[in-house]
Amino acid sequence: MPSRAGARFAAVERGFELPELPDVEIYREYIAATSLHRKITRVELRSASILEGISRRRLKETLEGRRFESAKRHGKHLFVSISGRGFLALHFGMTGTLKYFKDLEKDTEHDRMRVSFSNGYHLAYDCRRKLGRVGLAEDIERFREAHGLGPDALDDRLGFEEFLRALEGSRAAVKSTLMDQKRIAGIGNVYSDEILFQSGVRPGAKTRGLGEERLQRVYRSMRHVLLTAVERRADPGSMPASWITPRRGKDARCPNCGGELEKIRVSGRSAYFCPKDQQG
DNA sequence: CCTATAGCCTGACGGC
DNA sequence: TGCCGTCAGGCTATAG
């Protein structure tokens, strides 16, 4: 499995930085392709600080002897169902990755939790900066409510009307509004910049003053960007050349007009945009 | 009610 | 060479 999974999940094996909705969707597929329906023989927790609301002991007792049955995603959260016991809830923070492997020598450096299966393989939750979280959930809806998470950005039920409702009342910059997981779940710093670039809207513009036409463009770009990123398996090297996502960094130039991209801070986060093509 | 910000956490990088 | 400050941005808690 790892060799076959390796080609499809090359980006996962390299490890995502800054996992947002598309990255977590690929993690979901990765778990579905590798880790379901096998008996969990052992759970090893190497860093208790990643646990959220549960003890080490409870995690072990809940998982050992059971099987993972399915993998679902909401926003940036992954939910892996445990036979008869709800879900393992995974959040990846900024540096969380997954790795499925057999040879323990290949164990990753910042492996915070390791789940071992009866076939001799292991699934590692690797999180260098320990900003990710591992917990248990009885059901996904409950978890969503407890965490105040908004609708998933790619949920088919999130039409333009529902999108407007989710943004309603925000007085913040549109970039912050899009990244607010309580309004819409799944968008982070990198993809919010891409969405706004493709909408021709400045990240620092107030959501309130945008008007329906611009918001319509933001909505369409949101779906387009996220769907395309999932299609391209969230691999940074595979994103279209017309996007600004691959150009974050020094001396960044606009793929559209060739002008210099500007870097500003919006609510404490770095935002890249093209001052010429984004006038909104 | 709302938004902005500090702090958690680690490693890469640039300046001296 | 090596030390140190800064930055990266996921989240939460708290300040405004």
Side-chain angles (χ1 to χ4, degrees), chain A residues 62 67 79-88 136-139:
Chain A
T62 305
R67 294 157 201 268
F79 299 94
V80 192
S81 74
I82 309 153
S83 45
R85 295 203 179 171
F87 298 86
L88 177 69
L136 294 170
E138 274 178 47
D139 73 85

Side-chain angles (χ1 to χ4, degrees), chain A residues 166-238:
Chain A
L167 269 49
E168 205 165 60
S170 171
R171 291 185 222 183
V174 61
K175 178 179 172 68
S176 313
T177 311
L178 287 176
M179 288 173 62
D180 185 346
Q181 305 300 301
K182 292 183 164 56
R183 294 183 178 277
I184 295 173
I187 302 168
N189 203 42
V190 173
Y191 285 110
S192 63
D193 277 1
E194 188 64 53
I195 290 165
L196 293 169
F197 173 70
Q198 297 192 19
S199 319
V201 172
R202 291 202 180 199
K206 300 286 184 205
T207 307
R208 262 211 313 190
L210 283 184
E212 195 157 321
E213 201 180 310
R214 282 204 180 89
L215 288 172
Q216 180 83 245
R217 293 214 302 270
V218 174
Y219 173 72
R220 292 213 181 103
S221 301
M222 175 184 80
R223 291 193 55 88
H224 172 73
V225 165
L226 296 176
L227 285 169
T228 305
V230 171
E231 253 168 47
R232 308 213 173 189
R233 313 199 65 71
D235 183 357
S238 304

Side-chain angles (χ1 to χ4, degrees), chain A residues 135-182:
Chain A
L136 294 170
E138 274 178 47
D139 73 85
I140 298 173
E141 269 312 301
R142 281 249 187 100
F143 185 94
R144 260 192 72 183
E145 276 169 34
H147 288 74
L149 294 173
D152 183 83
L154 278 185
D155 192 325
D156 289 334
R157 290 166 296 183
L158 187 72
F160 181 56
E161 292 304 315
E162 291 76 15
F163 175 77
L164 285 182
R165 213 170 301 144
L167 269 49
E168 205 165 60
S170 171
R171 291 185 222 183
V174 61
K175 178 179 172 68
S176 313
T177 311
L178 287 176
M179 288 173 62
D180 185 346
Q181 305 300 301
K182 292 183 164 56

Side-chain angles (χ1 to χ4, degrees), chain A residues 44-57:
Chain A
E44 230 181 299
L45 185 73
R46 295 177 167 181
S47 177
S49 68
I50 61 164
L51 290 181
E52 187 183 45
I54 52 165
S55 64
R56 175 191 299 263
R57 189 173 158 187

Side-chain angles (χ1 to χ4, degrees), chain A residues 23-147:
Chain A
D23 313 82
V24 179
E25 177 61 21
I26 303 306
Y27 285 151
R28 188 191 67 72
E29 293 180 19
Y30 186 66
I31 287 202
T34 58
S35 305
L36 304 185
H37 315 305
R38 269 180 223 98
K39 193 169 174 181
I40 296 165
T41 53
R42 190 168 179 207
V43 174
E44 230 181 299
L45 185 73
R46 295 177 167 181
S47 177
S49 68
I50 61 164
L51 290 181
E52 187 183 45
I54 52 165
S55 64
R56 175 191 299 263
R57 189 173 158 187
R58 177 136 174 262
L59 180 77
K60 274 180 80 79
E61 287 176 354
T62 305
L63 292 181
E64 286 178 357
R66 300 277 163 159
R67 294 157 201 268
F68 289 141
E69 300 291 5
S70 69
K72 299 174 195 294
R73 183 191 57 73
H74 184 92
K76 301 178 193 175
H77 281 91
L78 194 56
F79 299 94
V80 192
S81 74
I82 309 153
S83 45
R85 295 203 179 171
F87 298 86
L88 177 69
L90 300 174
H91 187 276
F92 298 92
M94 292 177 66
T95 55
T97 65
L98 295 173
K99 217 156 272 183
Y100 181 76
F101 57 93
K102 184 160 196 178
D103 186 355
L104 280 182
E105 308 263 313
K106 284 188 187 155
D107 197 357
T108 51
E109 198 182 346
H110 306 291
D111 180 346
R112 309 301 182 192
M113 178 180 69
R114 187 163 64 208
V115 179
S116 302
F117 300 102
S118 54
N119 64 349
Y121 280 79
H122 314 272
L123 178 71
Y125 170 88
D126 183 293
C127 192
R128 177 160 45 86
R129 285 164 68 176
K130 299 184 190 171
L131 295 176
R133 289 295 175 261
V134 171
L136 294 170
E138 274 178 47
D139 73 85
I140 298 173
E141 269 312 301
R142 281 249 187 100
F143 185 94
R144 260 192 72 183
E145 276 169 34
H147 288 74

